[in-house]
Amino acid sequence: MRVIEFFSGIGGMHFALKECNLENFEVVLAVDINTVANAVYRHFFPSTNLRDMNILSLSPEQFDAYHPDVLLMSPPCQPFTRNGLVKDIKDERTKPLLHIIENIIPKSESLKYILVENVKGFESSLARDKLVTSLSQSGFTFKEFLLSPTHFGICNSRLRYYLLAKKKPLDFAISLQNDIITENYWDDKLCSRVQQVSDVLSESDTELEEYLINDKQLLKGGKALDIVTKYSKRSCCFTRSYSSYLCGTGSVYSSLCEENIKEIINNNDDNLEVLKSLKLRFFTPAEVAKFMCFPVSDFPVSKKKAYQLLGNSINVYVVSRLLYLLLP
């Protein structure tokens, strides 16, 4: 299986392929315009043919020269996310995806399998409409999903849109309903590695003082934080702004028990010392990576950059389970 990764980021799709334990694949080309992400990708996969380039500059002939069987891609989500302007196909960042939809897919002679990942909201976009129209006209059958890691036994919410496509006469081996699939009813091999927060925690707290939430942050948003403990079986989605902003960017950790946390919060009148007694800290980049099922923890960038890159990435395990559905 010859694989091309578009918008390859830090290699989440590549890790998902390895998670499948597929031996007969080769990533023949990975493409991303983000030089920081590419440095991390090269750190993890130094032998892969990674190109620092805009996908718009890749012609259909150049694409097919690699004789790819599989195309994996996670296009920029900003044009479709509810926290953005939702400019959809009018957003400049959608142009590379439109190039793939209008030029690459219809003209490829070798392409047989496609996986697309994006944020919830993509399913109602004009870009999605163009994508499925192109697939249908190019002889592909496809299935769409809205799934979260929680559907696979992972204690982290990250609801995402996925599309799987196969070139006819290839079809899916199991029966899948026609509408957008919003639950995992085909796969009972749930992830056993990240079932509760303790599964991701660093072994020692002694070197984690730099991750403590500072006084200014505590006073500004202490009561609005999503606090989890080591026994928690849930956590919120981590975004690229994690640690830079508090609310809505991901859960924070307290070593106290849940009962003590509730008591402190309920009796708190915005007293800084009381808030500090919660001992709240951000999860480290390595811990966030574990939530997202990356098998690595050594990111050769600053922690701020690591948060940003992880926030833009995928859940490796979820994509690996979808690849089982897609690939022979």
Side-chain angles (χ1 to χ4, degrees), residues 13 59 104-105 124 152 196 229 243 270 279 298:
M13 296 288 187
S59 71
I104 300 294
I105 292 174
S124 57
F152 298 84
Q196 64 180 24
T229 72
S243 83
D270 292 329
K279 301 178 182 178
D298 57 325

Side-chain angles (χ1 to χ4, degrees), residues 10-13 15-16 19 74 117 149 154-158 160 162 191 193-194 199-200 235-240 242 249 284-296 299 306-320:
I10 58 176
M13 296 288 187
F15 280 119
E19 175 77 24
S74 181
E117 185 267 2
I154 300 166
C155 63
N156 182 241
S157 297
R158 195 176 184 84
R160 290 294 184 267
Y162 301 93
C191 180
R193 300 193 301 265
V194 197
D199 294 329
V200 310
S235 60
C236 291
C237 178
F238 296 98
T239 75
R240 71 185 312 276
Y242 189 64
T249 63
T284 69
E287 290 168 337
V288 174
K290 287 182 182 179
F291 274 118
M292 297 174 69
C293 299
F294 276 80
V296 292
F299 294 89
Y307 287 135
Q308 291 174 346
L309 294 171
L310 285 164
N312 283 338
S313 194
I314 64 168
N315 186 285
V316 170
Y317 186 85
V318 173
V319 172
S320 77

Side-chain angles (χ1 to χ4, degrees), residues 200-216:
V200 310
L201 294 177
S202 301
E203 294 183 3
S204 173
D205 285 336
T206 57
E207 299 178 358
L208 297 175
E209 283 196 11
E210 64 178 303
Y211 295 96
L212 289 171
I213 299 175
N214 63 45
D215 295 356
K216 183 178 179 181

Side-chain angles (χ1 to χ4, degrees), residues 24-36:
N24 60 332
F25 82 88
E26 178 188 3
V27 177
V28 295
L29 176 67
V31 179
D32 204 298
I33 201 170
N34 186 323
T35 55
V36 178

Side-chain angles (χ1 to χ4, degrees), residues 111-315:
L111 194 57
K112 303 180 187 70
Y113 306 94
I114 299 172
L115 184 149
V116 181
E117 185 267 2
N118 213 286
V119 293
K120 175 175 169 43
F122 185 85
E123 75 280 3
S124 57
S125 69
L126 292 174
R128 175 266 175 195
D129 293 345
K130 286 181 174 291
L131 172 61
V132 298
T133 298
S134 175
L135 289 171
S136 297
Q137 292 176 347
S138 302
F140 284 84
T141 182
F142 62 89
K143 300 293 181 181
E144 297 174 283
F145 306 77
L146 281 172
L147 296 171
S148 171
T150 56
H151 291 120
F152 298 84
I154 300 166
C155 63
N156 182 241
S157 297
R158 195 176 184 84
L159 185 61
R160 290 294 184 267
Y161 168 90
Y162 301 93
L163 178 143
L164 305 181
K166 294 189 180 190
K167 191 71 172 282
K168 296 175 182 177
L170 297 171
D171 203 352
F172 294 90
I174 65 172
S175 176
L176 296 168
Q177 61 198 53
N178 292 328
D179 297 333
I180 293 182
I181 298 161
T182 58
E183 60 180 318
N184 166 28
Y185 59 81
W186 70 88
D187 184 8
D188 58 3
K189 182 184 178 296
L190 300 182
C191 180
S192 61
R193 300 193 301 265
V194 197
Q195 297 180 334
Q196 64 180 24
V197 169
S198 62
D199 294 329
V200 310
L201 294 177
S202 301
E203 294 183 3
S204 173
D205 285 336
T206 57
E207 299 178 358
L208 297 175
E209 283 196 11
E210 64 178 303
Y211 295 96
L212 289 171
I213 299 175
N214 63 45
D215 295 356
K216 183 178 179 181
Q217 290 173 315
L218 281 175
L219 286 173
K220 186 175 181 180
K223 280 193 169 183
L225 293 172
D226 182 73
I227 303 170
V228 296
T229 72
K230 64 181 179 179
Y231 298 114
S232 297
K233 294 185 177 181
R234 57 151 205 92
S235 60
C236 291
C237 178
F238 296 98
T239 75
R240 71 185 312 276
S241 299
Y242 189 64
S243 83
S244 297
Y245 297 95
L246 284 180
C247 300
T249 63
S251 300
V252 297
Y253 176 73
S254 172
S255 59
L256 303 182
C257 68
E258 193 169 327
E259 292 75 16
N260 287 349
I261 294 171
K262 288 181 179 178
E263 182 180 356
I264 291 171
I265 290 177
N266 291 337
N267 296 329
N268 175 36
D269 56 355
D270 292 329
N271 181 286
L272 178 59
E273 293 305 315
V274 175
L275 287 171
K276 288 173 71 172
S277 69
L278 290 169
K279 301 178 182 178
L280 299 177
R281 71 166 176 86
F282 294 108
F283 287 99
T284 69
E287 290 168 337
V288 174
K290 287 182 182 179
F291 274 118
M292 297 174 69
C293 299
F294 276 80
V296 292
S297 58
D298 57 325
F299 294 89
V301 291
S302 69
K303 63 180 183 180
K304 182 177 181 179
K305 290 293 185 183
Y307 287 135
Q308 291 174 346
L309 294 171
L310 285 164
N312 283 338
S313 194
I314 64 168
N315 186 285

Side-chain angles (χ1 to χ4, degrees), residues 21-77:
N21 292 320
L22 297 172
E23 296 181 358
N24 60 332
F25 82 88
E26 178 188 3
V27 177
V28 295
L29 176 67
V31 179
D32 204 298
I33 201 170
N34 186 323
T35 55
V36 178
N38 286 344
V40 176
Y41 190 110
R42 287 191 178 96
H43 175 74
F44 295 140
F45 303 108
S47 62
T48 297
N49 177 28
L50 173 63
R51 302 280 301 277
D52 299 82
M53 63 182 292
N54 192 320
I55 291 168
L56 288 170
S57 65
L58 189 71
S59 71
E61 293 75 22
Q62 289 172 318
F63 177 86
D64 243 25
Y66 289 97
H67 306 291
D69 302 290
V70 185
L71 173 59
L72 309 177
M73 58 176 168
S74 181
C77 64

